[in-house]
Amino acid sequence: MSDAQAAASFVLVVEDEPAIQAMIARTLRQHAFQARVALRRDEVLALAGEEACVAVLLDLGLPGDDGMDIARALRGRSDVPILMLTGRAAVRERVSGLEAGADDYIVKPFDPDELVARLRAVLRRKPKAERNRARAVAIRLGAGRLDLATREFAGPSGREKLTEQELRLLRAMVDNDGPLARASAYGLVLGRKWEPTDRSLDVHVANLRRKLRAALGGEDPIATLRGQGYELRAPASTEAGEGG
Ligand code: CA
């Protein structure tokens, strides 16, 4: 598999509750998985059928379509690992979900670490899907490269160690199509809602900007677009390692 294919690998998130959806997306990104969201049955089936889809996190309580029905339809078409998200009381639901072909379930409310552990376990049990897993190891930005494991950004003019928040911020900008809105950045980077008086994002942006600039040399690599958010000026991409 080429790096381009690996970089495009994603976990499909089928969850209608905005807070849970955001928490899942954030957690996945923090663990080097890309996330895509779909809620309608036709969208879910189409995306899950893509080669790049490595697993589906499926909420059974969806407003429009029946999650159980989607699970059956998915299983009828592909071998993609399915991790169901169910309510605490819904024991029957879990049993039916497993019968419908889900690989495992996770009970709400769940801890981000538990989600990742369950997801990894499901991927381990399905080695074919494992090979398609999004395993980002680095981010390339202009002439620089960020090692995701060490958080060290190396460019032609030097090396800088990023903090966890700066790393998340950079990843969010790379993953985002178009400018990264401040409100999204608060959720993705700091895990909380934006408040007008909260300046902490500005601090992280300023620090990231200073470090990238020091390592890359030359112009400011982050553009601030008034009323829209932040955007990288230099071309950026995710570099994937070997699967497994
Ligand atoms: Ca729901």
Side-chain angles (χ1 to χ4, degrees):
M1 174 168 56
S2 74
D3 281 0
Q5 281 173 311
S9 300
F10 63 90
V11 173
L12 182 58
V13 179
V14 189
E15 165 62 65
D16 60 298
E17 209 158 316
I20 301 177
Q21 190 192 96
M23 183 270 255
I24 293 173
R26 185 168 68 238
T27 303
L28 291 175
R29 288 191 187 116
Q30 282 167 4
H31 290 83
F33 293 100
Q34 313 250 14
R36 291 181 71 173
V37 176
L39 294 176
R40 291 207 331 267
R41 180 194 152 98
D42 53 345
E43 273 184 306
V44 173
L45 294 180
L47 282 169
E50 288 186 15
E51 182 74 13
C53 180
V54 295
V56 180
L57 300 182
L58 176 65
D59 175 27
L60 290 183
L62 294 168
D65 298 294
D66 177 36
M68 204 72 74
D69 174 52
I70 293 180
R72 272 187 221 100
L74 277 173
R75 193 43 80 234
R77 291 162 188 236
S78 87
D79 198 30
V80 68
I82 303 170
L83 185 57
M84 291 187 310
L85 313 174
T86 74
R88 185 175 287 282
V91 179
R92 277 193 62 84
E93 203 176 55
R94 284 175 235 159
V95 173
S96 310
L98 293 172
E99 281 171 358
D103 295 90
D104 199 1
Y105 62 85
I106 186 164
V107 180
K108 295 183 198 177
F110 49 82
D111 188 80
D113 291 338
E114 189 188 359
L115 173 72
V116 171
R118 293 293 188 91
L119 177 61
R120 292 215 161 116
V122 160
L123 291 173
R124 267 199 304 277
R125 290 203 296 273
K126 292 214 163 174
K128 180 160 156 275
E130 172 78 13
R131 283 201 295 277
N132 290 339
R133 192 171 119 191
R135 288 182 58 85
V137 294
I139 287 175
R140 290 192 180 275
L141 174 68
R145 182 179 184 274
L146 171 70
D147 185 317
L148 291 173
T150 63
R151 299 203 304 268
E152 192 172 74
F153 185 77
S157 298
R159 290 172 171 273
E160 295 284 337
K161 174 119 175 163
L162 304 190
T163 63
E164 193 60 50
Q165 286 82 7
E166 290 155 12
L167 174 88
R168 272 185 238 149
L169 182 58
L170 183 58
R171 292 206 70 161
M173 284 192 273
V174 172
D175 288 343
N176 213 56
D177 292 325
L180 176 69
R182 290 179 63 83
S184 318
Y186 266 90
L188 291 168
V189 178
L190 302 167
R192 60 172 187 256
K193 280 178 83 167
W194 176 70
E195 301 285 343
T197 52
D198 190 343
R199 311 304 295 174
S200 46
L201 183 68
D202 303 82
V203 175
H204 293 303
V205 171
N207 289 337
L208 176 63
R209 182 175 259 149
R210 176 176 49 74
K211 289 179 183 178
L212 295 180
R213 205 171 177 178
L216 289 169
E219 78 167 304
D220 184 348
I222 300 175
T224 303
L225 308 176
R226 191 168 267 282
Q228 293 184 66
Y230 306 102
E231 193 166 56
L232 292 168
R233 284 203 175 96
S237 60
T238 303
E239 186 185 308
E242 294 301 307

